[in-house]
Amino acid sequence: MSLSAAEDDSRSEIHIPADIDWHMLDKSKFFFLGAALFSGVSAALYPIVVLKTRQQVSSAQISCSKMSLSIMRYEGLRGFYRGFGTSLMGTIPARALYMGVLEVTKSSVGTATVRLGFSDTTATAIASAAAGLNSAMAAQLVWTPIDVVSQRLMVQGYNNSNSCKNAISNVHSCRYKNGLDAFRKILYADGPRGLYRGFGISILTYAPSNAVWWTSYSLAHKLIWGGIGCSMGKKDETGVIDGSGFKPDSRAVVAVQGLSAAMASGVSALITMPLDTIKTRLQVLDGEDNGVRRPMTVLQTIRNLVKEGGLSACYRGLGPRWASMSMSATTMITTYEFLKRLSAKSQDSLSS
């Protein structure tokens, strides 16, 4: 069972290239090339993540353009890449774990649901949701500590800019030289719990988000190919659409994958944005109790957000997050499918 099983109904009409399943991959090539390709994707999209994070922790509404100009003026290009080294070092193992769990779960659950008698579309939706859920939960074991460190580095220079002065009133006061220094100081001050601050809310954010994303993606993929089949096909004498003559090239396949990813990202971003804002604030901001700075609770974080702007405050950074998710998902899924084809075993290896 694979991601493209959702298109089985239209395969008789459109000759879509066959998907590559887990057992067909050269695992060493898959993970090595994956680390290189996704590192490049992360570097290209990182500035948007910085903007999103700073908007989420800000106590006032600041536009993306104003914040971008402020970062460039007071921090330079380097300001858009605060914490990137730490993020990149964590992305490699987290992404490898994510992809491995994703493919294994998708293949095993998909095969099981088909055997239970579910239709191809239903089986694909169930397998995609389960794979997204499991892979996100597994990756958070690695990603949460990296997220805590990198996000603190992202906002460290925020209050240095006059245009954003005091925009964050309760950001953690400790100064960090680099990711390793931040890791050491957080561990010393708060213990392992400090590195896993917001772990629960991260699971509640990313696990449903991934489940929604992969399910939406598989269904959007099927819907788009079905629409293309209807528009390209011709009706025969019995009124049945025959699209057997249409063979999409690689550009068409990539375009459909990208459009499906963007549609899925829009759905996922809207549903999970409040949880992502709460998670970011839990990981970055502190509260005060009788003059003593302490990690904030979920309830305190929600109360502060409501006080600052109600429900709209939970959606600060929605624009950058939506853009980041859409671009990340589009590049991720096209890179991911390209990676799978690069890592596919030869026919001789599969038959032996």
Side-chain angles (χ1 to χ4, degrees):
M1 179 66 189
S2 61
L3 193 67
S4 293
E7 290 89 39
D8 280 351
D9 293 341
S10 60
R11 282 190 189 278
S12 60
E13 300 170 357
I14 303 176
H15 295 288
I16 305 171
D19 199 8
I20 298 169
D21 219 335
W22 178 246
H23 71 279
M24 301 165 66
L25 295 172
D26 180 332
K27 309 302 187 298
S28 59
K29 186 185 291 186
F30 179 69
F31 288 119
F32 177 78
L33 291 175
L37 289 171
F38 285 111
S39 293
V41 171
S42 297
L45 299 176
Y46 195 78
I48 300 177
V49 179
V50 172
L51 286 174
K52 185 268 300 184
T53 301
R54 292 195 177 191
Q55 281 193 319
Q56 285 180 317
V57 300
S58 174
S59 58
Q61 183 69 43
I62 301 175
S63 68
C64 287
S65 58
K66 183 178 180 181
M67 189 170 291
S68 298
L69 289 172
S70 175
I71 293 173
M72 184 59 72
R73 180 179 179 184
Y74 293 98
E75 302 173 58
L77 186 62
R78 186 178 179 182
F80 288 101
Y81 282 91
R82 285 184 178 271
F84 177 67
T86 301
S87 178
L88 184 61
M89 291 304 294
T91 296
I92 294 173
R95 184 71 71 179
L97 184 60
Y98 181 92
M99 291 189 299
V101 174
L102 179 76
E103 284 298 321
V104 170
T105 304
K106 192 165 47 170
S107 181
S108 57
V109 173
T111 301
T113 49
V114 168
R115 287 176 179 172
L116 289 173
F118 288 95
S119 67
D120 289 330
T121 301
T122 304
T124 299
I126 294 172
S128 297
L133 197 70
N134 284 353
S135 58
M137 292 176 69
Q140 282 308 308
L141 293 172
V142 177
W143 187 248
T144 298
I146 300 301
D147 217 15
V148 170
V149 173
S150 62
Q151 286 182 146
R152 290 197 183 188
L153 292 171
M154 284 181 200
V155 303
Q156 189 162 255
Y158 197 0
N159 284 339
N160 292 338
S161 59
N162 292 332
S163 62
C164 299
K165 197 76 174 176
N166 298 322
I168 310 177
S169 57
N170 56 341
V171 69
H172 201 278
S173 57
C174 190
R175 305 295 295 176
Y176 309 115
K177 298 176 183 177
N178 49 46
L180 187 60
D181 182 54
F183 182 89
R184 182 178 57 81
K185 287 180 177 177
I186 293 170
L187 194 60
Y188 177 78
D190 302 320
R193 288 185 61 183
L195 292 171
Y196 279 90
R197 186 191 285 197
F199 178 71
I201 199 72
S202 293
I203 293 292
L204 290 176
T205 301
Y206 291 120
S209 175
N210 271 265
V212 169
W213 191 92
W214 281 105
T215 304
S216 301
Y217 173 80
S218 64
L219 295 178
H221 208 201
K222 174 181 170 58
L223 183 65
I224 293 170
W225 279 124
I228 292 174
C230 290
S231 62
M232 292 292 184
K234 298 179 180 179
K235 290 186 178 180
D236 59 19
E237 298 171 350
T238 62
V240 176
I241 294 176
D242 177 20
S244 58
F246 177 57
K247 297 180 180 180
D249 58 18
S250 58
R251 287 178 298 180
V253 172
V254 169
V256 171
Q257 289 171 346
L259 181 57
S260 301
M263 291 169 64
S265 297
V267 174
S268 183
L270 282 172
I271 292 174
T272 62
M273 186 65 201
L275 285 173
D276 187 66
T277 300
I278 294 169
K279 173 199 72 71
T280 301
R281 287 194 164 212
L282 279 173
Q283 293 176 330
V284 173
L285 303 183
D286 284 336
E288 271 197 27
D289 185 12
N290 297 324
V292 180
R293 298 181 75 89
R294 301 181 184 276
M296 296 179 69
T297 64
V298 173
L299 190 59
Q300 287 175 322
T301 303
I302 295 173
R303 190 182 296 123
N304 287 346
L305 280 167
V306 171
K307 188 184 298 183
E308 289 171 15
L311 183 62
S312 63
C314 295
Y315 281 87
R316 282 179 188 155
L318 176 61
R321 184 168 189 249
W322 193 326
S324 175
M325 285 185 69
S326 296
M327 288 190 286
S328 177
T330 301
T331 52
M332 184 273 290
I333 200 64
T334 52
T335 302
Y336 184 60
E337 295 295 342
F338 176 63
L339 169 64
K340 287 169 70 175
R341 300 193 186 282
L342 284 179
S343 307
K345 296 177 181 177
S346 63
Q347 291 298 320
D348 293 337
S349 299
L350 289 173
S351 59
S352 60

